Amino acid sequence: MNKLRRKPVVGLALGSGSARGWAHFGVLHALREAGIAPDIICGTSIGSLVGATYAAGEMDSFENWVLGLGKRKVFGFMDFNLGGGLLKGEKIIEFWRENFVQETMEELGAPFGCVATDLQTGAEVWLRKGSIAEAVRASIALPGLFTPVMHDGRLLVDGGLVNPVPVSLARAMGADIVIAVDLNADIMRRHMRLQEPRDSELRIQSREVSLSELQLETEPPADEVPPLQHPLAEPAGWSGKWRRSVSSVKTLSASVMRRGQKREGDAEGDEPPRIPSLTNVLLASINIMQMRITRSRMAGDPAEVLIAPRVSHIGQMDFHQGRESIDEGYAAAQLAMPALRGWGL
């Protein structure tokens, strides 16, 4: 007897990435155009914010608001704080709740869950019930930027510290096929400095001089040997050429000594890199940490389809660059379409 095949459950795991998270909108647009409607939505950090809006059916209105963000408006949502984090984070979450998502997770049209981190134990916390705004606020509490959130007796911070792309949560909620969106896949391109191969010729001040150009000779050519003179006297007519060669050797030696004092890989005239601010150091460190954790987690539990927008050039706080992020997300999803079709989606 033939067994009836059930339709596979599709889960969407939206990863962390702060302002780069607007790329999730582009991914969701591409999926919608392709007729792919995820059955389960999961998110970490900014992925939880966009994912909850999508699950509530408010994605288009929220995206329009994001596209209208400017630097001044972003700054207006910053409720500065002196303890626990640079920002309280309450102003933006309250605005989001009042204008876009007021439901509880149980009232959403599709199952939704998000990830946070227990600051005291380091445990991964899955939030699947109760207030969406409170859960999302905990999931986006990036250490140093937003203050931690007390939720059910636990002090919670950003879920990206333990699970930047929540594939495991999507599986736990019943997904057979997981589409993962990783915003940190190419993050090292921003922090690595690529070195060009060295020139075969040494650079001397403003011009290049090769050993062949110096035309150094241990003795003058036979046809240029002057008549015998006093041993200490310079050969007549040859002193200028010899002096130029000696001068070139001295210049070359000095240049080599200067180059030896420079750090390997530095070019002539390069200034040492500036030390970034405390905030930039913290955010860059979190970027690298999340990229490494993502690679480790995905190696153990890979998604069936991985979408990786190239958004490393967008800073953590560049929330005003929504259009560029969305376009990158859409382009990355288009590249993943053959893989999606391969799974029958």
Side-chain angles (χ1 to χ4, degrees):
M1 183 175 66
N2 293 329
K3 294 182 178 179
L4 294 177
R5 292 184 178 180
R6 67 175 177 85
K7 181 182 176 181
V9 177
V10 178
L12 180 63
L14 303 178
S16 61
S18 197
R20 296 189 295 272
W22 299 148
H24 291 316
F25 286 120
V27 172
L28 290 166
H29 276 300
L31 294 178
R32 186 165 62 184
E33 288 179 3
I36 301 172
D39 303 296
I40 295 170
I41 312 294
C42 298
T44 295
S45 193
I46 191 69
S48 69
L49 183 71
V50 176
T53 311
Y54 175 81
E58 295 290 338
M59 186 187 81
D60 292 334
S61 58
F62 185 47
E63 180 186 9
N64 289 333
W65 178 80
V66 167
L67 290 173
L69 283 176
K71 290 184 178 181
R72 180 173 297 182
K73 187 177 289 187
V74 171
F75 185 80
F77 282 102
M78 294 184 178
D79 43 3
F80 293 97
N81 182 56
L82 296 178
L86 181 63
L87 306 173
K88 293 180 181 179
E90 296 174 358
K91 185 181 290 187
I92 181 62
I93 285 296
E94 185 61 23
F95 173 85
W96 178 75
R97 184 189 66 79
E98 291 180 355
N99 291 274
F100 302 107
V101 180
Q102 300 179 4
E103 300 94 335
T104 62
M105 294 193 196
E106 293 85 350
E107 296 173 325
L108 290 174
F112 171 78
C114 60
V115 180
T117 304
D118 189 319
L119 186 60
Q120 296 172 309
T121 66
E124 180 177 340
V125 180
W126 292 348
L127 303 172
R128 298 176 55 186
K129 297 180 180 179
S131 169
I132 297 174
E134 290 182 11
V136 169
R137 171 63 182 86
S139 186
I140 67 171
L142 192 66
L145 183 60
F146 291 113
T147 57
V149 175
M150 186 62 69
H151 182 82
D152 291 339
R154 309 176 82 168
L155 195 61
L156 303 181
V157 292
D158 197 298
L161 299 182
V162 290
N163 197 354
V165 185
V167 174
S168 56
L169 175 54
R171 296 204 190 281
M173 293 175 66
D176 300 309
I177 299 174
V178 177
I179 304 169
V181 184
D182 180 9
L183 303 177
N184 302 309
D186 68 333
I187 201 65
M188 285 307 295
R189 295 189 328 117
R190 180 183 177 112
H191 301 294
M192 290 180 65
R193 179 183 179 182
L194 301 179
Q195 296 183 359
E196 296 181 356
R198 293 184 179 182
D199 293 334
S200 59
E201 297 179 349
L202 298 175
R203 296 181 181 275
I204 299 179
Q205 295 180 355
S206 61
R207 73 183 189 97
E208 295 183 358
V209 179
S210 66
L211 292 177
S212 61
E213 290 175 329
L214 294 177
Q215 297 179 343
L216 297 179
E217 299 165 349
T218 56
E219 58 180 315
D223 58 350
E224 295 185 18
V225 176
L228 184 62
Q229 299 180 13
H230 189 279
L232 298 181
E234 293 180 342
W238 205 67
S239 60
K241 182 176 181 180
W242 178 254
R243 284 174 180 171
R244 285 195 300 271
S245 297
V246 171
S247 176
S248 297
V249 171
K250 290 180 179 179
T251 305
L252 175 62
S253 301
S255 176
V256 172
M257 291 297 294
R258 287 195 299 271
R259 288 174 64 87
Q261 293 173 357
K262 287 181 176 290
R263 291 175 304 193
E264 186 177 352
D266 283 358
E268 286 293 326
D270 279 358
E271 296 181 1
R274 296 187 201 173
I275 301 299
S277 67
L278 173 62
T279 302
N280 286 336
V281 169
L282 179 62
L283 294 177
S285 300
I286 291 174
N287 277 341
I288 296 171
M289 176 197 68
Q290 291 188 355
M291 181 204 65
R292 296 296 184 183
I293 294 173
T294 300
R295 289 183 179 180
S296 177
R297 295 293 298 257
M298 297 282 279
D301 187 11
E304 279 66 38
V305 179
L306 177 64
I307 300 175
R310 297 176 67 88
V311 287
S312 64
H313 59 288
I314 297 175
Q316 289 266 30
M317 300 300 293
D318 292 339
F319 291 100
H320 60 285
Q321 293 186 331
R323 181 73 273 163
E324 186 173 358
S325 298
I326 292 170
D327 290 344
E328 290 290 349
Y330 184 86
Q334 292 296 330
L335 291 175
M337 282 301 161
L340 292 167
R341 297 307 181 197
W343 284 98
L345 302 179

